[in-house]
Amino acid sequence: MPAFDLPLPELERHRPEPDEPADFDAFWSETLKEAEQHEPLVSVDPVETGLRLTQTWDVTFRGFAGDPVRAWFSRPSGAREPLPAVVEYVGYGRGRGLPHERLTWVNAGFAHLLMDNRGQGDQYGNGGATPDPHAFAPGGPGPAVRGLLSPRDYHYRRLITDAVRAVTAVRALPGVDPARTVAAGNSQGGGLALAVAGLVSDLAAVLVTAPLLCGIRRALDLTDAGPYGEIAAYLSVHRGSEETAYRTLSYVEGVSFARRAHAPAHFGTGLRDTVCPPSGAYAAFNRYGELSDGADPRREIHPYPYNGHEGGEAEQVRRQLHWLADQLAE
C-alpha cells in the first residue's frame, strides 16, 4: 500500500481542532467514580506455565460497573524488590491469549499486567476470558459498533474504564512499585494506553503505537479497513445516524485524552497504515499534554515511512525499551 495520508512535513504540523463535547471531563469523571466504588482485586492465582524464569498469576480485577476482568500478571522469578510495572493493552478482536505469549517486559525486568479485552478475543490470537454483560444496546456485531448510538452504552466506555482500573489493580499487587507504572499498547491497545494517560494523572510513562480512536472523523473519511470499516458499514445501513454516532465517538477520541495527559510519551506509527491512519497518531502527539499543568511532557514519535499497520515491529520495541529505561532512571 503506498503512502495515502498527509506527507510527513504536514503530519508534523497536523493539529486539528479538538472534536470533544463540553461535558467530556464530567462524563469520564462520573464513569470512573462509579467504577471506583468497587475494590480492585477479586483473585490472584498462581499459574504453572512451564517457564522457569517467569512467575505468572491469573488475576481477576473489577472494571466497569464492578464487572470481573481477567489479566495475566507476570514477574521475573526470584525478583525481591518492588518492580516498575507495564500495563499492556492488546489489539482489536483479540484477548489476553496464553500467559507465555508476551514476555518482553518481564525479560526486561518489569512486572507485567496484560489486560483481557471484554467481549473480544474471537478474531485472532489465543482467545480471551472476559465477557461483556452490557453488550445489549443497538449496534452491529463488532465491538466498534456495540452501543454506537449512545455514549453511555458504547463498548469503548466500558473498555476504557477497564483499562484505567487495570492500573489501579496492578498497583495493588505485591512486588510492584506504584510510582513507576507504565501504560503500553499497539493499535486498539495504543488507543487504550492513550486514554489511560489522559485519565490517570500520575503514570510514569506511556508507550503508544499505531493508536486506534485518534482523529476518528478523518479516519472514517480515509479508510474502510479494520474497526473504522465496521463503523462505516453500520452507518451505510443506518442512514441518518451519522451525527449521533459522531457524538458518541467524540467521548472516546484519543486526541482529547492526549491533550489531558501528563506522563512522558513514546509514539510510533507507520506512514502507510490504512488501519489506524498516521494523521491520527500525529494529531494526538502534536496536542499531547497541552492541557496538563506545569511543563510540557516529554514526548517523541517515530514514523516508519514504508510500513503499514505493523509499524516498526521489533525495531519499535527496541526503541521503547531503551527510552523507557532512560525515563525510569531519571
Side-chain angles (χ1 to χ4, degrees):
M1 176 68 194
F4 78 109
D5 206 336
L6 299 170
L8 183 57
E10 293 184 34
L11 289 172
E12 292 173 340
R13 299 189 298 270
H14 185 55
R15 293 174 58 87
E17 286 301 310
D19 177 22
E20 61 183 56
D23 65 340
F24 181 90
D25 292 310
F27 175 86
W28 282 107
S29 177
E30 176 190 350
T31 297
L32 296 179
K33 185 176 181 180
E34 179 182 338
E36 289 163 1
Q37 295 176 8
H38 305 277
E39 288 297 319
L41 293 178
V42 177
S43 61
V44 183
D45 299 317
V47 177
E48 174 52 55
T49 64
L51 302 175
R52 296 291 173 260
L53 303 181
T54 300
Q55 293 178 290
T56 298
W57 292 262
D58 186 349
V59 170
T60 302
F61 67 91
R62 296 201 180 278
F64 176 85
D67 297 338
V69 179
R70 305 289 289 278
W72 297 123
F73 176 62
S74 299
R75 281 170 45 92
S77 295
R80 297 288 181 262
E81 72 281 4
L83 299 176
V86 173
V87 180
E88 185 177 3
Y89 309 106
V90 297
Y92 187 77
R94 79 172 295 150
R96 63 175 182 167
L98 299 173
H100 59 269
E101 288 186 80
R102 297 184 180 231
L103 300 175
T104 297
W105 295 110
V106 178
N107 282 335
F110 293 86
H112 179 234
L113 186 81
L114 183 69
M115 188 187 87
D116 204 11
N117 286 328
R118 67 164 62 218
Q120 299 188 30
D122 298 321
Q123 293 188 24
Y124 71 105
N126 288 290
T130 304
D132 185 359
H134 307 277
F136 51 78
V145 289
R146 291 177 192 158
L148 181 61
L149 301 184
S150 168
R152 295 189 64 83
D153 294 335
Y154 193 35
H155 175 78
Y156 279 108
R157 179 186 181 222
R158 301 188 291 277
L159 192 60
I160 289 170
T161 303
D162 292 347
V164 171
R165 294 290 288 168
V167 171
T168 304
V170 81
R171 287 173 164 173
L173 288 167
V176 167
D177 179 356
R180 294 184 291 167
T181 306
V182 179
N186 176 72
S187 191
Q188 176 184 262
L192 293 176
L194 194 57
V196 170
L199 294 170
V200 179
S201 62
D202 59 347
L203 290 176
V206 59
L207 307 173
V208 178
T209 308
L212 185 67
L213 300 175
C214 290
I216 297 173
R217 286 204 186 211
R218 177 175 171 82
L220 285 167
D221 289 338
L222 286 176
T223 183
D224 283 330
Y228 294 121
E230 293 181 21
I231 295 171
Y234 178 84
L235 294 176
S236 75
V237 174
H238 298 272
R239 301 171 184 87
S241 297
E242 293 88 346
E243 288 308 313
T244 301
Y246 286 148
R247 178 176 179 272
T248 295
L249 293 166
S250 70
Y251 286 91
V252 300
E253 169 60 60
V255 177
S256 295
F257 291 120
R259 298 178 71 215
R260 291 158 170 79
H262 295 76
H266 187 283
F267 283 72
T269 184
L271 300 190
R272 299 170 185 241
D273 188 345
T274 60
V275 178
C276 298
S279 54
Y282 271 92
F285 176 79
N286 289 333
R287 287 198 170 275
Y288 188 88
E290 67 182 9
L291 297 182
S292 64
D293 299 328
D296 189 25
R298 295 183 184 179
R299 64 192 188 277
E300 62 184 58
I301 188 168
H302 296 276
Y304 298 92
Y306 297 97
N307 289 100
H309 195 51
E310 79 281 3
E313 298 183 302
E315 173 62 20
Q316 177 70 359
V317 174
R318 182 187 67 81
R319 286 173 163 164
Q320 289 176 334
L321 287 165
H322 289 295
W323 179 86
L324 186 54
D326 290 341
Q327 291 298 319
L328 295 181
E330 292 178 9

